[in-house]
Amino acid sequence: MNYYDQHLHTFLSFDSDEQFENYLAYQPAYFVATDHFDLKNPYSGFRDDIPDYELLVNTHQKLQETTATKLLKGIEIGVVPGQEQEILRYLESHPYDLKLISIHQNGTFDYMDDAVLTKDKFAVAKQYFDQMAHVLDSFLDGHIVTHFDYGLRRFQFTAEELAAHFETELTTIFKKIVARDLAMEINAKSFGPYQNAHLYQYAIPLYQSVGGKLFTLGSDAHKASDYRLDFAAMSELLRSFGVNQLAVFQGSERFMADLPAK
């Protein structure tokens, strides 16, 4: 199996207008859109942003008649403590092939909001990592933990600062990921546009040191032109740490695929 992008968005996300067809123009063997599910989302005025499942199914049915690409259903689940049971009830009646676990907001603000710039960066990072650790204990679903650095994106952090201030928290998080047999995502938006590649250079060997072996690449594309964004550079980084395969999730099945070619 060739590796395919496991994190991208379409018009079914609140923050994207992209059409499925524009991604399918790349003619991947498999395609999965992971559109946003965020309850009481501060980004959109505390609205429940839930992708239209019926429209997803209908769109797949129409497109599958015109493409050789196998279409899979995916979702990116933003989890805030206290929402777990409501999310799980939704997932029981809306099956997905791929479920990403994300920490985007804390019930008051999104970690990318301007509001965080008025706060101490170490306090925000501590809250973010503590929330991630809590969610990994309380939300027992999903396949991939996305962009571990999302809560740090609005600040400048060095790898040395993470090691000095948050190595204990990150070690705990990575142990939970390993214990649950989840995968750690290398996120292209973090890696490239948000210039946090150095944080992944620190985090990858820390994750490996506690037994972490499952990795994925995700473009986090919100437009088709970002499909497989920075896959070559992210693959090169993983190779430098002895990683040669990536995890691919399709429902209850997990496959291993070779890293994309250089």
Side-chain angles (χ1 to χ4, degrees):
M1 173 183 291
N2 291 325
Y3 186 76
Y4 55 90
D5 201 336
Q6 291 188 101
H7 187 168
L8 49 83
H9 299 274
T10 73
F11 69 95
L12 294 174
S13 287
F14 66 89
D15 57 355
S16 175
D17 297 317
E18 193 55 275
Q19 299 297 310
F20 282 72
E21 292 88 342
N22 293 329
Y23 288 112
L24 294 177
Y26 291 98
Q27 298 183 318
Y30 295 89
F31 176 79
V32 59
T34 52
D35 286 300
H36 284 296
F37 180 106
D38 288 274
L39 299 177
K40 298 178 177 59
N41 187 2
Y43 195 92
S44 55
F46 296 94
R47 180 183 66 197
D48 287 345
D49 285 309
I50 300 173
D52 188 325
Y53 190 84
E54 183 177 355
L55 181 55
L56 171 64
V57 171
N58 290 339
T59 300
H60 275 197
Q61 289 174 343
K62 292 177 182 178
L63 289 174
Q64 197 64 83
E65 296 175 356
T66 66
T67 180
T69 298
K70 173 65 175 176
L71 302 177
L72 303 170
K73 296 190 291 295
I75 190 169
E76 180 181 3
I77 308 161
V79 186
V80 175
Q83 297 178 350
E84 296 92 340
Q85 293 308 308
E86 184 175 356
I87 298 171
L88 290 172
R89 283 193 296 271
Y90 176 85
L91 294 175
E92 285 177 0
S93 57
H94 300 82
Y96 287 91
D97 301 295
L98 176 64
K99 289 171 274 192
L100 310 184
I101 304 171
S102 296
I103 307 300
H104 292 133
Q105 51 110 349
N106 61 11
T108 303
F109 58 82
D110 189 286
Y111 288 100
M112 286 288 290
D113 285 349
D114 289 344
V116 303
L117 299 178
T118 66
K119 304 176 185 298
D120 176 77
K121 73 175 189 177
F122 294 105
V124 171
K126 180 69 164 64
Q127 182 181 25
Y128 172 74
F129 288 136
D130 286 349
Q131 182 178 336
M132 185 179 293
H134 179 100
V135 165
L136 286 169
D137 284 336
S138 64
F139 183 73
L140 301 181
D141 203 344
H143 298 103
I144 299 168
V145 178
T146 65
H147 39 49
F148 88 97
D149 65 309
Y150 183 90
L152 284 60
R153 282 179 173 179
R154 295 303 302 274
F155 304 106
Q156 296 294 319
F157 272 94
T158 66
E160 291 75 19
E161 285 176 320
L162 282 194
H165 293 269
F166 300 112
E167 189 155 298
T168 298
E169 286 83 357
L170 284 168
T171 299
T172 296
I173 286 168
F174 293 152
K175 284 181 177 179
K176 293 177 186 294
I177 291 174
V178 171
R180 288 190 47 192
D181 215 21
L182 302 170
M184 174 184 177
E185 178 196 69
I186 313 301
N187 181 276
K189 290 294 176 65
S190 294
F191 190 90
Y194 289 103
Q195 300 184 329
N196 280 343
H198 61 290
L199 301 186
Y200 284 88
Q201 289 173 335
Y202 162 73
I204 289 168
L206 182 62
Y207 171 64
Q208 291 175 313
S209 75
V210 297
K213 297 179 180 179
L214 299 179
F215 293 91
T216 67
L217 302 180
S219 68
D220 205 352
H222 286 65
K223 55 184 179 180
S225 58
D226 284 339
Y227 181 69
R228 294 173 63 92
L229 178 70
D230 280 336
F231 269 32
M234 294 189 296
S235 294
E236 184 177 353
L237 177 63
L238 285 173
R239 285 191 185 92
S240 73
F241 291 108
V243 179
N244 295 304
Q245 291 192 311
L246 299 169
V248 176
F249 298 92
Q250 295 182 4
S252 61
E253 295 186 284
R254 186 182 76 212
F255 307 93
M256 299 304 294
D258 290 340
L259 280 171
K262 296 180 182 179

